[in-house]
Amino acid sequence: MDGAMKKLALQGQAGGWQQLRTMPCLGRRLAAVVLGNLLMGLAVTLLRMSRFGNDPFSCMNLGYSLFTQNSFGFCMILCNGVLVLFVLRLARSYIHVGTLVNMFLIGILSDAFYVQLTALWGSPESYLLCFRSVLLVIGVLLSCYGCSAYSCAELGLGPYDAIGWIVERRSQGRLSFRYFRIAMDTVASGIGFILGSIVGPGTIIMALCTG
């Protein structure tokens, strides 16, 4: 996924909202963005229900949710909103339609999926280890497919992803995306853990998949 995100970052340097009118098959690309975020929202829910840990950014926001007693979706939107302010200040060309869809959709969808699936399957605390393992595997796969669809549409980066590319760009490559992302993920996971979120194999796997 690194290559697709790199391509998106380079696109962000060269264009912005004005490119939307000239993009081929825009309808299909918007559909890919929505589908990708839908799959990622479901993936977050399944990883959350597996109790093996989520990706670092979701882990941090789940921690905020537990600490503040606000919904996960609300915490995702709030945190993404703060990051978007930094992106707008540093390199607003990274903000596209896909950025806004990612900012608002994943958390809201994840909350909705969580309510429906726990109503069907019961509380995650009661799940057997084998079932939790299946949820982990499916969650990771759905996240990969969702991220691929979202990235290939080339309609913007999520705020959390954009920060790493902006740092690499502004440091002129002295601080690479990969190493800065490792630092970001470590900090996000640490904050999530301190606030009561689960950090586990799922967190490590997702960090490796995205970074």
Side-chain angles (χ1 to χ4, degrees):
M1 276 182 277
D2 235 12
M5 292 175 70
K6 180 68 172 178
K7 188 176 180 182
L8 267 174
L10 292 173
Q11 177 224 1
Q13 296 177 30
W17 288 96
Q18 68 272 15
Q19 289 185 339
L20 287 177
R21 295 196 186 104
T22 60
M23 287 179 176
C25 305
L26 179 59
R28 281 184 290 180
R29 295 168 75 181
L30 287 171
V33 167
V34 173
L35 175 62
N37 279 278
L38 189 150
L39 292 176
M40 288 189 286
L42 179 57
V44 168
T45 301
L46 296 181
L47 290 170
R48 186 175 168 185
M49 296 173 72
S50 77
R51 298 183 61 79
F52 280 124
N54 274 85
D55 66 276
F57 187 58
S58 296
C59 173
M60 180 177 69
N61 282 288
L62 283 167
Y64 287 150
S65 176
L66 291 169
F67 183 74
T68 63
Q69 297 300 301
N70 289 309
S71 70
F72 169 68
F74 175 82
C75 292
M76 282 283 283
I77 293 170
L78 186 64
C79 191
N80 274 320
V82 172
L83 293 178
V84 160
L85 293 178
F86 282 101
V87 176
L88 285 171
R89 177 70 177 83
L90 298 173
R92 66 179 57 200
S93 61
Y94 284 85
I95 304 297
H96 296 264
V97 171
T99 307
L100 302 180
V101 173
N102 179 269
M103 175 178 170
F104 289 101
L105 203 57
I106 290 182
I108 294 172
L109 285 173
S110 180
D111 280 342
F113 283 132
Y114 189 83
V115 169
Q116 295 300 317
L117 292 179
T118 51
L120 285 173
W121 299 337
S123 173
E125 287 80 2
S126 66
Y127 297 166
L128 297 175
L129 179 61
C130 57
F131 184 56
R132 291 170 55 209
S133 300
V134 170
L135 292 178
L136 172 64
V137 172
I138 296 175
V140 170
L141 291 176
L142 285 178
S143 184
C144 290
Y145 281 119
C147 188
S148 177
Y150 170 70
S151 298
C152 289
E154 297 183 22
L155 288 178
L157 291 168
Y160 186 75
D161 296 320
I163 293 293
W165 292 116
I166 291 170
V167 168
E168 180 177 82
R169 174 185 172 185
R170 292 178 72 90
S171 69
Q172 299 180 339
R174 290 190 294 273
L175 185 56
S176 71
F177 169 84
R178 183 178 298 275
Y179 293 116
F180 186 78
R181 181 58 179 260
I182 289 172
M184 283 180 66
D185 285 346
T186 301
V187 171
S189 300
I191 292 172
F193 180 76
I194 291 170
L195 295 177
S197 187
I198 297 173
V199 176
T203 312
I204 297 171
I205 293 170
M206 291 303 300
L208 292 174
C209 286
T210 56

